[in-house]
Structure formats: structure tokens, C-alpha cells
């Protein structure tokens, strides 16, 4: 079953990427015609901050997927899995607090960063968006743990189906809402609603189908340290990735305004889609590789699967 899940997961993920790309091609022009380049550029500028905050969730998700996969491969998985989730919950609480502090810092720094390029109305909307983003992150970061568990269990068909449905619903809902309130604020509000819905569905699936349990009493200082070290390196790579692909939009917004950001972000959407194509296979194979490591797989076996993934990625992007 896991092998079939991986194959179908990859297929569904590419369908998702195709639908997402098609949706962008269709709904971005509609969005530009409805809310205007200024508001769209404002949305992309705030989206750059969201990308930085989302790094925390992505890093935590990788950590949970890896160590929960380890626990599933262990002899006493019924004991190890709840302990992993209990420790991860404590880490998620700290990371969520860091996200809220960072959001507040961004909120109060926006006047000094964008006062020369944002109009008074744009600044007002931007601050309202940051409030919504802060709430979104406070819900999304801890809620993303369930998505990480589903990936670790290799239930890729369910996970990718949720992503696919969301890829269809989000542009439809956004286009519908901006007809009545043509502001970038409407976009982040729709995203907040969808995030809550996805988290509720993932949580229900995790408890009802995967029968996850949390052990908040277990203490394992060695395991906690190992998980935090992994998280630190994961975040380091993700932060540098965001600096490379997202900081430019913030700089453009501060120097030239929202119109320039809108034009630039349309071009970077193509680059983002290209990167996603190659990452899809690696994301699906992470739980399998983690279980192989936990089961004591040899370096030769790991080298073979890494080489296979590399060949597939090269074939896809070329």
C-alpha cells in the first residue's frame, strides 16, 4: 500500500501543480482587473512576510514527518509515536509564540519601511492584513502538525486530494469575494478560512483514521535535543531559500511601491512553479527514507534511492 500511495501521491501532486498553474493563469488577470495592480502588489508584499513566517511551519513539518516516521519503524511504535507528538507539541507552542512576536515586529515596523512608497490607504490595508496573517499563523503553525503526521503515515492520496480541492476552491472563492470587497484584505481572509477548514479536516482524519495519540508526560532530553538540532538546520536552509526568492519583493515594495511588486511577482510565479516540479518527488519520498534510516539501511541503499530521485528530478525539469 505505501508504494501505491507514493505513486498516486506523485501523480496527484503533479495534477495539483497543473491545476494551480492553470488557476493562476486564469484568476490572476481577473484579480488584477478587479482589485488593481496596487492592491495585488500589496498582497504580494505581505505574502513575502508570510513566506518567511511559513518557514517555521515548514521546518516543523519536516521535523515531525521525519521523527514520526522513525517512530513508526520502531518496535514499540505505540509508545514512541505519542511521545514524538507530545514533544513536538511543546516545540510547536514555542514556534507559534515566535511567529506572533515576529508578526508584531513587522506590524510596527511597516511605517518606517514603506512610508515613502505606500499611500495612507495602502498602509492601512497592509496593517489590517498583517493582523489577519498573525491570526492565520497562530492557527496554521500548530495545525500543520496533522498534515505532517498524514505525510509520515504515507497517506498521500488523502493529503494530495485535500491540496487539489483547495487549489480549485481558493481562486474561485477569492474571485467571488473580491467582487463585493475589492481589496487585498479579502484575499488573506479567504486564505484564513481555508486554512482553518483544512486543519479541521486533517485533525479529524488523524484522530479517526490514523488513531493518533499525544503523550505530554513523556520526557526524553536526548530526543528533544536531536529534534531541535534537526529543526535548526532545516530552518537554516529554508531561511536562505526565502532570502533568495522573497526578499526582493520586500525591497521593491520599499523602494518603488506596490505597482512594481505586482509586475515582478507575476514573473516569479513561473519560477516558483518550476521549482515545485522538482521538489514534488523528494517530498513524497521523505517518510520512506526516514523509515529506511530508522531500520538501519546501508549507505549503499540510501545512495541508490537518492540517485533515483535525482534522475527523476532532472528528467522532470529538463
Amino acid at each position: 500500500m505505501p508504494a501505491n500511495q507514493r505513486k498516486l501521491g506523485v501523480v496527484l501532486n503533479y495534477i495539483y501543480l497543473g491545476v494551480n498553474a492553470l488557476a493562476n493563469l486564469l484568476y490572476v488577470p481577473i484579480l488584477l482587473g478587479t482589485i488593481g495592480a496596487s492592491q495585488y502588489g500589496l498582497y504580494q508584499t505581505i505574502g513575502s512576510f508570510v513566506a518567511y513566517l511559513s518557514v517555521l511551519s515548514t521546518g516543523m513539518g519536516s521535523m515531525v514527518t521525519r521523527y514520526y516516521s522513525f517512530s513508526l519503524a520502531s518496535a514499540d511504535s505505540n509508545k514512541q509515536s505519542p511521545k514524538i507528538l507530545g514533544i513536538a507539541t511543546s516545540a510547536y507552542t514555542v514556534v507559534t509564540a515566535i511567529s506572533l512576536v515576529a508578526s508584531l515586529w513587522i506590524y510596527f515596523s511597516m511605517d518606517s519601511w514603506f512610508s515613502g512608497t505606500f499611500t495612507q490607504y495602502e498602509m492601512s490595508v497592509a496593517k489590517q492584513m498583517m493582523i489577519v496573517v498573525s491570526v492565520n499563523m497562530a492557527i496554521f503553525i500548530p495545525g500543520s502538525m496533522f498534515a505532517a503526521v498524514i505525510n509520515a503515515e504515507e497517506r498521500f492520496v488523502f493529503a494530495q486530494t485535500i491540496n487539489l480541492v483547495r487549489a480549485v476552491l481558493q481562486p474561485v472563492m477569492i474571485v467571488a469575494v473580491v467582487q463585493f470587497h475589492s481589496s487585498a484584505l479579502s484575499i488573506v481572509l479567504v486564505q484564513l478560512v481555508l486554512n482553518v477548514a483544512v486543519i479541521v479536516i486533517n485533525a479529524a482524519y488523524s484522530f479517526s483514521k490514523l488513531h493518533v495519540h499525544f503523550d505530554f508526560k513523556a520526557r526524553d532530553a536526548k530526543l528533544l535535543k536531536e529534534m531541535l538540532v534537526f529543526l535548526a538546520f532545516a530552518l537554516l536552509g529554508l531561511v536562505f531559500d526565502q532570502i533568495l526568492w522573497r526578499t526582493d519583493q520586500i525591497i521593491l515594495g520599499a523602494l518603488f511601491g506596490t505597482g512594481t511588486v505586482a509586475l515582478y511577482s507575476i514573473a516569479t510565479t513561473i519560477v516558483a512553479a518550476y521549482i515545485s516540479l522538482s521538489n514534488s518527488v523528494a517530498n513524497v519520498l521523505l517518510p520512506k527514507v526516514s523509515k529506511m534510516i530508522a531500520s538501519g539501511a546501508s549507505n549503499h541503499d540510501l545512495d541508490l534511492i537518492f540517485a533515483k530521485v535525482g534522475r527523476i528530478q532532472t528528467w522532470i525539469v529538463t
Side-chain angles (χ1 to χ4, degrees):
M1 179 174 148
N4 290 332
Q5 285 278 332
R6 284 191 288 270
K7 291 177 182 177
L8 287 172
V10 171
V11 171
L12 285 172
N13 192 60
Y14 281 117
I15 294 174
Y16 158 73
L17 291 174
V19 169
N20 203 39
L22 180 62
N24 283 331
L25 288 174
L26 295 175
Y27 107 100
V28 169
I30 298 173
L31 205 58
L32 285 168
T34 306
I35 66 174
S38 173
Q39 286 293 303
Y40 183 74
L42 188 61
Y43 162 68
Q44 289 294 336
T45 303
I46 299 301
S48 298
F49 292 123
V50 174
Y52 274 102
L53 296 174
S54 297
V55 160
L56 296 171
S57 174
T58 304
M60 291 294 295
S62 298
M63 182 191 74
V64 172
T65 297
R66 183 175 193 264
Y67 285 94
Y68 196 83
S69 297
F70 281 178
S71 70
L72 294 175
S74 66
D76 57 343
S77 61
N78 291 334
K79 180 181 178 181
Q80 288 295 320
S81 297
K83 182 170 73 172
I84 292 292
L85 294 182
I87 294 173
T89 299
S90 300
Y92 268 101
T93 301
V94 174
V95 168
T96 301
I98 293 172
S99 171
L100 288 173
V101 171
S103 297
L104 286 173
W105 175 66
I106 294 170
Y107 178 88
F108 289 109
S109 300
M110 292 180 75
D111 285 313
S112 59
W113 292 344
F114 302 110
S115 59
T117 52
F118 282 16
T119 65
Q120 186 175 356
Y121 174 70
E122 287 173 343
M123 186 65 72
S124 174
V125 174
K127 288 187 174 182
Q128 292 175 53
M129 291 173 68
M130 276 308 305
I131 293 173
V132 176
V133 165
S134 300
V135 175
N136 200 347
M137 288 296 104
I139 297 171
F140 177 72
I141 290 177
S144 64
M145 177 164 51
F146 296 108
V149 170
I150 292 169
N151 284 334
E153 292 274 5
E154 300 190 76
R155 302 300 179 97
F156 298 116
V157 172
F158 174 82
Q160 295 301 341
T161 300
I162 294 296
N163 289 337
L164 188 56
V165 171
R166 178 175 180 155
V168 174
L169 283 180
Q170 181 165 297
V172 172
M173 290 176 64
I174 288 174
V175 170
V177 171
V178 296
Q179 303 302 317
F180 301 96
H181 188 252
S182 58
S183 169
L185 179 62
S186 301
I187 303 175
V188 293
L189 286 171
V190 170
Q191 291 172 339
L192 172 60
V193 171
L194 286 174
N195 274 342
V196 172
V198 169
I199 289 168
V200 170
I201 293 170
N202 284 341
Y205 184 84
S206 298
F207 286 117
S208 64
K209 298 295 184 180
L210 305 181
H211 307 292
V212 299
H213 294 88
F214 292 75
D215 185 355
F216 298 108
K217 296 180 180 179
R219 295 291 182 269
D220 192 330
K222 182 180 178 182
L223 177 60
L224 176 60
K225 180 181 178 181
E226 184 180 338
M227 291 172 69
L228 291 176
V229 169
F230 175 85
L231 176 62
F233 280 104
L235 289 178
L236 189 63
L238 290 167
V239 166
F240 278 115
D241 191 55
Q242 292 304 319
I243 290 173
L244 178 63
W245 296 110
R246 283 289 185 173
T247 306
D248 43 5
Q249 294 187 15
I250 297 173
I251 294 172
L252 287 173
L255 294 178
F256 303 108
T258 55
T260 302
V261 176
L263 182 63
Y264 179 79
S265 64
I266 293 171
T268 57
T269 300
I270 300 172
V271 178
Y274 188 78
I275 294 171
S276 297
L277 286 173
S278 64
N279 288 341
S280 299
V281 179
N283 292 336
V284 169
L285 287 174
L286 174 59
K288 179 183 178 180
V289 172
S290 298
K291 290 172 184 175
M292 288 176 63
I293 294 172
S295 301
S298 66
N299 289 336
H300 176 69
D301 291 335
L302 293 173
D303 287 342
L304 286 177
I305 194 169
F306 290 149
K308 180 180 179 181
V309 172
R311 286 196 297 271
I312 294 172
Q313 289 177 317
T314 303
W315 178 78
I316 290 170
V317 299
T318 56

